[in-house]
Amino acid sequence: MDEMPRHRTPILLRSLALGAVAVCLPACNRSKTVAAAMPVPRAESPPPTSSQPPALPSAESLPRLKIATVDMMQVFKEYHRTITAAKDQQADIVQVQQESDARLEAIRNLQTSLETLTKTMSDPAISDSRRQTAAGERATKQQDAIALERERRDFLERRQRALQEKGGERMKALFEEIRILVVEKAREEALDYVVDKSAATSSQIPFFLYTPDSADMTGEIIAHLNRDSPAAAGESNARAAPDPMPETEDR
């Protein structure tokens, strides 16, 4: 077979390409028509929500809390053991002050001796040997006075620190005793909360601006704590004592 001339090859390729386009165009148009006829799926919208918020439970349906108040500072001040501890603390302070005054009296006596020796040393009528002896005694007494004053200050610091620690431990123990009683009373009365009405903020403003008197159990706590106080025991003994028999006139 003879070879096709080269100048006819492009013409033949162009004819084949046009034929393929003619075949494809009707098929593409039919695909677009079918796609246009098919319904487009729509995304489902969320169900409509109510504009009103859900109803809150009524106050009657909520559980009622039982709350009581107590003035811890008032209970602490009126507790008979607190009063006794304060008296003991004051007695200890007085004793420390008396011991300090005794040491101070010894220092004052030394100061009087120092003044006398100073006058002796300045007296021109005494001999040099007497003046030297007075100077030696004065130096010794002055060192003794300095040592006694140092010892007195150390004594005061030690005793005051010990008294502060002792008072703090007493206060802590009494507050803990009161707290335990409040907890016991709360459990007996099935209380949910007990708040301290004497509590204050950092600016010394009461934390609870209002508390009803009906919820206050301060008086009950004080009466329970003081039931075994010496004063209460004396009153109970006085009530238990028989009345004296009335005197009868002789007829």
Side-chain angles (χ1 to χ4, degrees), residues 120-140:
T120 302
M121 292 171 56
S122 61
D123 187 1
I126 65 172
S127 61
D128 292 340
S129 60
R130 180 70 183 92
R131 185 176 290 106
Q132 292 178 358
T133 302
E137 292 179 359
R138 184 180 181 279
T140 302

Side-chain angles (χ1 to χ4, degrees), residues 157-218:
E157 291 179 0
R158 291 195 310 270
R159 293 299 300 272
Q160 289 176 353
R161 184 166 55 250
L163 287 177
Q164 290 177 356
E165 293 176 357
K166 184 178 180 181
E169 291 175 358
R170 283 180 175 178
M171 181 181 296
K172 183 178 179 181
L174 291 173
F175 267 115
E176 180 64 16
E177 185 177 350
I178 296 171
R179 187 195 67 82
I180 291 175
L181 177 60
V182 171
V183 171
E184 291 177 354
K185 288 293 183 181
R187 290 174 178 172
E188 291 176 2
E189 300 180 12
L191 298 175
D192 295 300
Y193 297 98
V194 178
V195 297
D196 180 11
K197 64 187 298 183
S198 65
T201 63
S202 58
S203 56
Q204 300 305 315
I205 298 175
F207 189 82
F208 297 94
L209 300 180
Y210 169 77
T211 55
D213 294 337
S214 59
D216 190 13
M217 57 190 302
T218 303

Side-chain angles (χ1 to χ4, degrees), residues 7 16 19 34 46 51 67 86 95 97 101 117 134 136-137 152 154 160 163 171 183 208 211 215 229 232 243 245:
H7 67 274
L16 293 175
V34 173
S51 59
I67 301 176
Q95 182 180 358
Q97 187 62 43
D101 291 343
L117 291 171
E137 292 179 359
R152 188 185 71 86
D154 293 341
Q160 289 176 353
L163 287 177
M171 181 181 296
V183 171
F208 297 94
T211 55
S229 64
D243 295 334
M245 296 181 63

Side-chain angles (χ1 to χ4, degrees), residues 49-50 93 96-97 108 113 127 138 144 148 151 174-175 177 179 187 196 230 242 251:
T49 58
S50 177
I93 293 174
V96 171
Q97 187 62 43
R108 288 172 179 171
S113 300
S127 61
R138 184 180 181 279
D144 292 341
L148 283 177
E151 191 273 336
L174 291 173
F175 267 115
E177 185 177 350
R179 187 195 67 82
R187 290 174 178 172
D196 180 11
R251 295 184 182 275

